[in-house]
Amino acid sequence: MNYETVIGIEIHCELKTKTKMFSSAPVSVNSLPNTCVNEIDLGHPGTLPSLNKEAVRLSLMACMALNCEIDPLIKFDRKNYYYSDLPKGFQITQQFYPIGKNGYLDIPTDNGVKRIRINRLHMEEDTAKQYHSDDETWIDFNRAGTPLVEIVSEADIRSAQEAMAYVEKLRNILVYLGVTDGKMEEGSLRCDVNISLREVGSEAFGVKTEIKNLNSISNIEKAVQSEVIRQTELLENNQPVEQATRRYDDVQKTTILMRMKEGSVDYKYFPEPNIPPVLIDSNWMKSIQENLPELPDRREKRYMDAGLNAYDAGQLIQNKALSDFFDELIQETSYVKLAANWCLSDILANFSSKQLLEKSYSLKIKEMGHMINALGKQEISSKQAKDIFVELLKGNEYHATVKALNIEQVSDQSVLVQMVEDILNENEQSIIDYHNGKDRALGFLMGQIMKKSKGQA
């Protein structure tokens, strides 16, 4: 029997704010445990939450970029449950009135562009973080109260590749907006995938399982593929697929049962009594819309309009820090393709994304622009450019480096022709080899010319 994979994805994204969703405690990832938390985060009696305006602004930006309908009246609800990582015994969220709904995201697939509908985007606070060690559980409350948005897709995704494309594009948009740093490995963006199978042609959904907290794009693909195999084997053997929460084990390359879901949990939602409804000012919302940063699709089109092919443009926009570096570089040169080649090879080979983001490098972009201009005008060779680049990485200037390395480009045609003739006369066997179809002979001859010219031809 043939089965169709049906996937819906829930993404929890930590917002890039300085303070927490409902308190003035700082948001920090690497601080000592339990040093960035206050009475409000811990739910002490008599404390009152206060809504973080910056979190609302970032949430609105995400709604706009994801084509959501925005509810200008902000309301919060309490989600009640008792667990050790939830100090108040409830979570403040937006169950009934999400700030955004009915959005969409277009993703690339092998069959062209596909639209994935977004059911809702709502604000909430994060829980504390648990660490398990032998028979003990430690809790770090630093994360408690961190601002989050949860983005819930419709079940429109049909393969592991589509799931990867959706999460990757959504993450990229949120990073370009400055809504989040998008670091899945640090938990800034966490992904839960709901998967079910149904017979091809059927409209009814199968029984779904949820895979929790996938922390990389590659693990999304592996987890989906593994779960599809597991569910297919069950159905082929006339065994039921039971609703459950699972996790992906990267060592065993399969999903592992965490807990069964026998029915829907009653969280006893009710309106949050300590946060009155807030009406968003229309002029403020208009200002946010008008000042949205350039998004990846728009930047990709700009690169292609400037002369890059689709592959190079797509590779550049996948890394915002590298793309920002490239944008600065093409202010210094009109050789856009050359600049892209150097960014996608030598820049990536020498700098981490962190270095590019923080600009913690000695290289002067203006000096690199001088080098690319000289290369584009054939004033220097590719080999010479490599030697120059090594010095530019140290913070040296282009013209001083050319002088120090005694670099001179031989461009006089009469000189070059004589050099070529000399090499051909000295290597008659290579000419015979070339005419016999041995293409490597041509590379050998070119190498001899570069050697004879000391890399200056």
Side-chain angles (χ1 to χ4, degrees), residues 136-154:
E136 294 181 333
T137 295
W138 303 341
I139 302 180
D140 179 7
F141 288 102
N142 281 352
R143 199 177 72 179
T146 297
L148 287 180
V149 289
E150 181 174 354
I151 303 168
V152 182
S153 83
E154 298 287 2

Side-chain angles (χ1 to χ4, degrees), residues 203-221:
E203 293 296 322
F205 289 129
V207 177
K208 70 178 180 181
T209 57
E210 181 182 32
I211 307 176
K212 295 286 285 185
N213 294 333
L214 294 168
N215 63 357
S216 73
I217 302 294
S218 62
N219 274 355
I220 290 171
E221 179 182 35

Side-chain angles (χ1 to χ4, degrees), residues 19-65:
T19 57
K20 296 192 178 175
M21 193 73 188
F22 302 110
S23 84
S24 61
V27 171
S28 179
V29 176
N30 299 315
S31 298
L32 290 172
N34 299 310
T35 58
C36 298
V37 62
N38 67 15
E39 302 86 350
I40 295 173
D41 305 322
L42 296 173
H44 285 190
T47 59
L48 291 173
S50 178
L51 180 58
N52 186 328
K53 183 178 179 180
E54 177 65 4
V56 175
R57 187 183 74 86
L58 296 177
S59 301
L60 286 170
M61 291 172 69
C63 287
M64 293 167 182

Side-chain angles (χ1 to χ4, degrees), residues 106-115 162:
D106 292 332
I107 63 169
T109 72
D110 292 339
N111 299 315
V113 175
K114 179 175 181 178
R115 178 158 294 182
E162 288 184 9

Side-chain angles (χ1 to χ4, degrees), residues 312-380:
D312 286 345
Q315 289 295 108
L316 281 168
I317 65 162
Q318 290 306 313
N319 183 331
K320 184 177 183 295
L322 179 66
S323 178
D324 289 343
F325 181 96
F326 174 72
D327 271 351
E328 288 190 56
L329 181 57
I330 57 177
Q331 298 301 311
E332 307 296 337
T333 178
S334 59
Y335 295 98
V336 177
K337 173 61 176 171
L338 267 179
N341 291 345
W342 278 84
C343 284
L344 291 169
S345 55
D346 297 77
I347 294 300
L348 273 184
N350 284 278
F351 299 135
S352 67
S353 291
K354 186 173 186 291
Q355 285 175 299
L356 289 171
L357 184 65
E358 298 175 353
K359 299 189 176 182
S360 56
Y361 47 79
S362 299
L363 173 68
K364 299 181 179 71
I365 293 178
K366 186 170 185 175
E367 300 304 317
M368 185 174 176
H370 288 320
M371 183 196 76
I372 290 174
N373 286 332
L375 186 58
K377 294 173 184 175
Q378 297 187 341
E379 294 172 356
I380 59 173

Side-chain angles (χ1 to χ4, degrees), residues 267-438:
Y267 290 111
K268 295 182 174 62
Y269 290 101
F270 61 82
E272 168 55 54
N274 293 325
I275 304 177
V278 177
L279 182 63
I280 302 174
D281 179 77
S282 59
N283 289 328
W284 185 53
M285 191 152 57
K286 182 180 178 182
S287 173
I288 294 171
Q289 177 78 65
E290 291 173 347
N291 291 285
L292 281 180
E294 183 182 47
L295 295 177
D297 283 354
R298 182 73 176 270
R299 187 172 289 197
E300 183 177 28
K301 183 180 183 304
R302 173 162 63 82
Y303 289 167
M304 293 174 68
D305 289 344
L308 292 188
N309 59 41
Y311 177 81
D312 286 345
Q315 289 295 108
L316 281 168
I317 65 162
Q318 290 306 313
N319 183 331
K320 184 177 183 295
L322 179 66
S323 178
D324 289 343
F325 181 96
F326 174 72
D327 271 351
E328 288 190 56
L329 181 57
I330 57 177
Q331 298 301 311
E332 307 296 337
T333 178
S334 59
Y335 295 98
V336 177
K337 173 61 176 171
L338 267 179
N341 291 345
W342 278 84
C343 284
L344 291 169
S345 55
D346 297 77
I347 294 300
L348 273 184
N350 284 278
F351 299 135
S352 67
S353 291
K354 186 173 186 291
Q355 285 175 299
L356 289 171
L357 184 65
E358 298 175 353
K359 299 189 176 182
S360 56
Y361 47 79
S362 299
L363 173 68
K364 299 181 179 71
I365 293 178
K366 186 170 185 175
E367 300 304 317
M368 185 174 176
H370 288 320
M371 183 196 76
I372 290 174
N373 286 332
L375 186 58
K377 294 173 184 175
Q378 297 187 341
E379 294 172 356
I380 59 173
S381 68
S382 296
K383 182 181 182 305
Q384 289 171 331
K386 294 285 186 183
D387 294 336
I388 293 167
F389 184 69
V390 171
E391 298 302 314
L392 297 188
L393 287 172
K394 302 173 185 176
N396 296 331
E397 295 183 353
Y398 170 76
H399 294 294
T401 298
V402 169
K403 187 174 181 180
L405 296 178
N406 193 27
I407 287 176
E408 181 183 351
Q409 172 77 26
V410 178
S411 302
D412 187 313
Q413 186 168 330
S414 61
V415 175
L416 290 172
V417 168
Q418 184 60 53
M419 200 179 294
V420 169
E421 288 180 351
D422 291 345
I423 293 297
L424 293 177
N425 291 333
E426 295 167 9
N427 297 277
E428 291 183 5
Q429 184 60 45
S430 293
I431 298 172
I432 296 169
D433 291 343
Y434 178 73
H435 284 292
N436 287 333
K438 297 180 180 179

